[in-house]
Amino acid sequence: MGDFVISTNQMVGMMIGVAVLVVALILVFRYFLSKKATEDLSEKYAGKEWASPLTARTKYPDVDVFKFGRSFLWAGGIASLLFIIFAFNWTQFEQEVAIPDDAWIDIDEIEMEPPRTAEPPPPPPPPPPPVIEEVPEEEIEEEEQPEFLDQEVEEETVIKEEPPEIEDAPPPPPPPPPPPEPEVEEIFKVVEQQPRFPGCEDMSGTNKEKEECAKTKMLEFIYKNIKYPAIARENGVQGMCVVRFVVEKDGTVANAEVVRDIGAGCGDESLRIVKMMNQMPQRWTPGKQRGKNVRVQYNLPVRFKLEN
């Protein structure tokens, strides 16, 4: 005999059914009592002597609500027992994430290439050569001879002397120094402890084991949220995109860009998944160099593979 398993939808349906049943019983019981209340019970029991005062504690046995107490007690006990059984067998099924077998490969084996862009337009054609026209001799004018000025200096010629330089004049002030360039923190590519996707920091083990766990968690996140572009699906586009980003000191993702794109919207979808990481409740574990948090460049491969 297999295990008795109840899914979340079945459990919610049962709870709604129990609530509807309870409301229906209340309405039926109210209708029954209101119908009894319209009967002339005083004439029915006129002159009747009760064997015990407790028999007529509600005035007439026809409207005695206490006689249904045992039935309601049994019904409530059975309902509670069934509810406990259902609660113990209530199982929450985790969504299965289909991760391709070759979803993760060594990034060094991937040839990086810039994103595909539109080809530049061809250069315009060269202008046609100028047309040389022959000019008749009648229209050729004689060139004017240049006029030479007499530059001879005689004794009577007065030459203006330049004013002497003033030796006591203060030197001009030096130019102001250029503003200091803003300090840009170094972005590391290889560090002692690589940044890790969240979800595995509470586990016990070495940094290598935590890195493998974080890699699995990251693949589950990617292929749980990824949406295969319709254009790529219709045209059978498959392959590997690579997104490069920087894991900051506080674990946020910045400067995300597509460095390898297979087209058909796959690069944009990969970029969207990476930007979603800043919306998670937990941040990345930043990389460390000499015990300090540093900025680390990370290359993430995202494989698009159609299911057969």
Side-chain angles (χ1 to χ4, degrees):
M1 181 178 179
D3 295 336
F4 181 55
V5 178
I6 299 176
S7 64
T8 302
N9 294 335
Q10 293 174 340
M11 189 67 181
V12 173
M14 291 178 185
M15 293 178 66
I16 294 175
V18 170
V20 172
L21 181 60
V22 170
V23 173
L25 288 175
I26 293 174
L27 295 177
V28 170
F29 196 64
R30 288 185 61 182
Y31 174 76
F32 173 76
L33 293 178
S34 62
K35 186 176 181 181
K36 286 292 184 181
T38 57
E39 297 181 1
D40 192 2
L41 299 178
S42 59
E43 294 181 359
K44 180 178 179 180
Y45 292 101
K48 182 175 179 59
E49 295 182 0
W50 310 105
S52 172
L54 296 177
T55 307
R57 63 184 180 274
T58 54
K59 193 174 182 180
Y60 299 117
D62 299 54
V63 290
D64 183 10
V65 295
F66 293 96
K67 66 181 179 181
F68 299 102
R70 184 175 298 235
S71 301
F72 283 124
L73 179 62
W74 278 100
I78 295 173
S80 301
L81 182 61
L82 291 175
F83 183 78
I84 292 172
I85 294 174
F86 292 153
F88 273 106
N89 290 275
W90 176 26
T91 303
Q92 290 183 327
F93 296 95
E94 295 183 359
Q95 182 181 1
E96 295 184 1
V97 181
I99 302 176
D101 298 334
D102 50 354
W104 188 273
I105 63 174
D106 190 358
I107 204 68
D108 297 333
E109 300 177 0
I110 302 177
E111 181 181 356
M112 298 295 180
E113 59 183 13
R116 298 180 181 178
T117 57
E119 295 182 359
V131 179
I132 301 175
E133 298 181 357
E134 183 178 359
V135 180
E137 295 181 357
E138 293 78 6
E139 296 182 4
I140 299 176
E141 298 179 358
E142 295 183 357
E143 296 182 358
E144 295 182 358
Q145 298 295 329
E147 183 179 356
F148 296 96
L149 298 178
D150 186 10
Q151 298 182 356
E152 183 178 357
V153 179
E154 299 179 354
E155 294 182 359
E156 291 80 6
T157 305
V158 179
I159 301 175
K160 295 182 180 181
E161 297 182 357
E162 296 182 358
E165 297 181 358
I166 302 175
E167 299 180 355
D168 298 337
E181 297 182 358
E183 296 184 0
V184 179
E185 295 185 2
E186 182 181 0
I187 299 177
F188 293 83
K189 295 183 178 180
V190 179
V191 290
E192 296 173 355
Q193 179 180 317
Q194 290 291 333
R196 294 193 292 263
F197 191 83
C200 300
E201 294 307 310
D202 296 334
M203 66 172 290
S204 59
T206 62
N207 287 334
K208 187 65 176 178
E209 294 174 347
K210 290 183 179 180
E211 288 180 7
E212 293 298 326
C213 174
K215 187 187 300 181
T216 303
K217 293 286 186 182
M218 182 168 56
L219 291 176
E220 291 177 356
F221 172 82
I222 292 173
Y223 292 99
K224 181 180 180 181
N225 296 283
I226 200 168
K227 298 178 181 178
Y228 213 110
I231 300 178
R233 186 183 299 275
E234 293 173 359
N235 294 276
V237 177
Q238 303 183 86
M240 178 76 73
C241 293
V242 179
V243 181
R244 176 184 297 164
F245 55 91
V246 176
V247 180
E248 299 287 349
K249 291 182 178 181
D250 58 352
T252 56
V253 174
N255 303 335
E257 59 176 346
V258 180
V259 295
R260 189 174 191 271
D261 192 359
I262 59 175
C266 295
D268 295 337
E269 179 63 16
S270 304
L271 194 62
R272 184 187 71 86
I273 293 297
V274 171
K275 292 181 178 180
M276 281 182 60
M277 296 178 181
N278 285 333
Q279 304 174 6
M280 299 186 301
Q282 295 179 329
R283 302 295 187 191
W284 279 64
T285 300
K288 293 182 180 294
Q289 182 72 9
R290 297 181 180 178
K292 296 182 180 180
N293 294 349
V294 293
R295 306 174 68 198
V296 182
Q297 178 179 293
Y298 199 96
N299 295 322
L300 176 64
V302 181
R303 180 174 293 278
F304 290 83
K305 187 175 182 180
L306 293 171
E307 298 180 358
N308 297 328

